[in-house]
Amino acid sequence: MTTPLLYALAGALLCGIGLFGLLWLRHLLRKLLAFNIMGSGVFLVMVGLPQHQSGPDPVPQALVLTGIVVAIAATALAVVLIRRYYHLSGMSSLEDEPSPRGDDPE
Amino acid sequence: MMRALQTLVMALACLAFTGVLATSIWTISGNPTPVNLTQLLTENMGRSGVEHPVTAVLLNFRSYDTLLEIGVLVIAGIAGISMAKTASLEDPAMRTSDSLLYALQRWFVPLMLVLAGYLLWAGADRPGGAFQAGAVLAATGVLMRLGGSPMEFLRPGLMLRLGLALGFTVFLLVAVASAIGGDAFLAYPPGMTKALIVVIETVLTLSIAMVLLALFVSAPVNDAEDPEEGAPS
Amino acid sequence: MVEWLLDGLLVLALLVTAVAALWSTNLFRAVVVFMAFGVLMAVAWVRLHAPDIALAEAAIGAGLTGVLLLDAVSHLGSHSLEVQKQRGDRQ
């Protein structure tokens, strides 16, 4: 058990939390947050596991760097889509329910 | 009742997923790696043209990934802009014009521009590079936008198209040129490696900042101003 | 020993902020906690000897994502009652 392995296992847990949130939450922005947390978990596994085996490894680090930039672009596009959907339908969740859980207008 | 059952099934599935993932990580961590990438990298660092290993991987050894990545970004940017109403792209009166934000902006924007330039320049031999510089540049643009700067170049037109496509085009041109010159796709000609990497990093920075800023700006503003589009009929 | 304590606390804080970001009652608070999660991720990258990713995460996770999501929350929140009323009128 080394420090990078601890982070890799934390990444696995974050993946699980994110997946559950993605499936269970109704509000689209919350689903987006869950998706981002799942992505962070994947990045932690990708960097932590090789580092546990053979020290700091620049190759997965470069790949994760690329992944982070693609993730922010995907998040921004998702926000545009969610706002467009809300603009057209007046709903902030996919199901046809009048008030999704946790939709607190604050 | 239905909902509770559904939640239980989902929770069990996610627990099983996490358990399998953690077990496989634990198992893999015990085995030695078949290929030592770090050693391969340190052996070939001399040929990469830059001193920082992460930059070398991004822009030389695995530059194919970076090319595809900027392609994905350009597609996302185009999709975001096509989703926007022209009004929100052209809107001259911005969302907020707070005097505190304006004062802050006068201090922060020059500082952040310098920081972006430094990060780009530092990428050759220490942590930094096109991605970080692009993110900082985009953040500068967002700050200027929130503070109410006009930002002429974000209107639909030549500048926007040029800024979005610049990074991908230059990168692709270099790749195709080396392929036509008889070398492999994306293999830089020897002797010009460093210069080409610096040029590509600069245009990548501009393009990444432009895509992220365009995606931020193109979010539809609100439906109070044009009720006819808000009607779901 | 101190390093293990630091890593353990950091991992614990990551998991707690992740859960809090997803299950907080208020959407605005959820986004703010998510920004805190981004900052903690940046610290985690430093602990994993990946300064490049730490820089990118600090600029993106804490800055850009936060602004984007806060903007979206203010947009989705401020008009929801009005739209509900309009939909009610139309039906």
Side-chain angles (χ1 to χ4, degrees), chain A residues 1 5 8-9 11-17 19-21 23-26 38 45 49-50 52-63 65-67 69-70 72-74 76-77 79-81 83-84 86-89 95 101, chain B residues 3 6-7 10-11 14 17-18 21-22 25-26 28-33 36-38 41 53-54 57-58 62 65-66 69 72-73 76 79-80 83 85 95 131-132 208 211-212 215 218-223 226 229-232:
Chain A
M1 186 77 179
L5 190 61
L9 289 175
L13 270 176
L14 281 179
C15 260
I17 293 172
L19 185 66
F20 183 64
L23 291 172
W24 191 73
L25 294 166
R26 288 273 167 80
M38 213 177 150
V45 173
L49 196 50
H52 167 73
Q53 289 169 328
S54 55
D57 191 348
V59 179
Q61 287 186 13
L63 296 185
L65 196 51
T66 317
V69 177
V70 171
I72 170 72
L77 184 60
V79 166
V80 171
L81 285 174
R83 287 173 73 152
R84 186 71 184 162
Y86 179 75
H87 184 89
L88 291 176
S89 71
E95 284 93 335
R101 186 190 22 249
Chain B
R3 179 75 184 153
Q6 214 179 345
T7 309
M10 277 181 201
C14 291
F17 171 77
T18 315
L21 196 60
I25 287 173
W26 187 261
I28 292 171
S29 72
N31 305 336
T33 37
N36 197 339
L37 279 177
T38 324
L41 191 68
V54 174
V57 172
L58 272 178
R62 297 290 309 167
D65 290 340
T66 314
E69 184 249 4
V72 168
L73 280 191
M83 210 68 66
K85 290 177 295 174
R95 301 175 194 174
F131 296 102
Q132 292 92 337
I208 290 170
V211 167
L212 293 179
L215 277 170
S218 65
V221 180
N222 62 48
D223 43 9
D226 49 349
E229 224 198 346

Side-chain angles (χ1 to χ4, degrees), chain B residues 47-48 60 174-175 177-179 181 183-184 186-197:
Chain B
R47 297 198 288 124
S48 68
N60 202 333
V174 170
S178 64
D183 219 335
L186 267 174
Y188 304 121
M192 288 173 63
T193 316
K194 171 103 187 187
L196 277 177
I197 285 181

Side-chain angles (χ1 to χ4, degrees), chain B residues 107-157:
Chain B
W107 282 94
F108 265 53
V109 167
L111 261 178
M112 286 168 80
L113 286 178
V114 170
L115 180 65
Y118 169 76
L119 280 174
L120 176 62
W121 173 75
D125 54 359
R126 72 202 89 164
F131 296 102
Q132 292 92 337
V136 171
L137 208 57
T140 317
V142 168
L143 191 64
M144 283 168 74
R145 165 89 181 177
L146 288 177
S149 303
M151 309 240 284
E152 292 287 328
F153 58 88
L154 275 178
R155 305 197 173 184

Side-chain angles (χ1 to χ4, degrees), chain A residues 8 10-12 14-15 36-46, chain C residues 37 41:
Chain A
L14 281 179
C15 260
N36 267 307
I37 285 173
M38 213 177 150
S40 296
V42 172
F43 294 151
L44 273 181
V45 173
M46 272 183 73
Chain C
F37 175 79
M41 278 297 288

Side-chain angles (χ1 to χ4, degrees), chain B residues 52 54 95 119 127-128 132 135 138-139 142 146 212 216 220-223 232, chain C residues 51-53 55-56 59-60 63-64 67-68 71 75 79 82-83 86-87 90:
Chain B
H52 188 52
V54 174
R95 301 175 194 174
L119 280 174
Q132 292 92 337
V142 168
L146 288 177
L212 293 179
F216 174 72
V221 180
N222 62 48
D223 43 9
Chain C
D52 291 85
I53 312 179
L55 275 174
I60 288 173
L64 274 176
V67 175
L68 258 174
D71 200 36
H75 172 71
H79 289 277
E82 199 180 312
V83 172
Q86 278 176 4
R87 284 164 63 82
R90 214 176 285 122

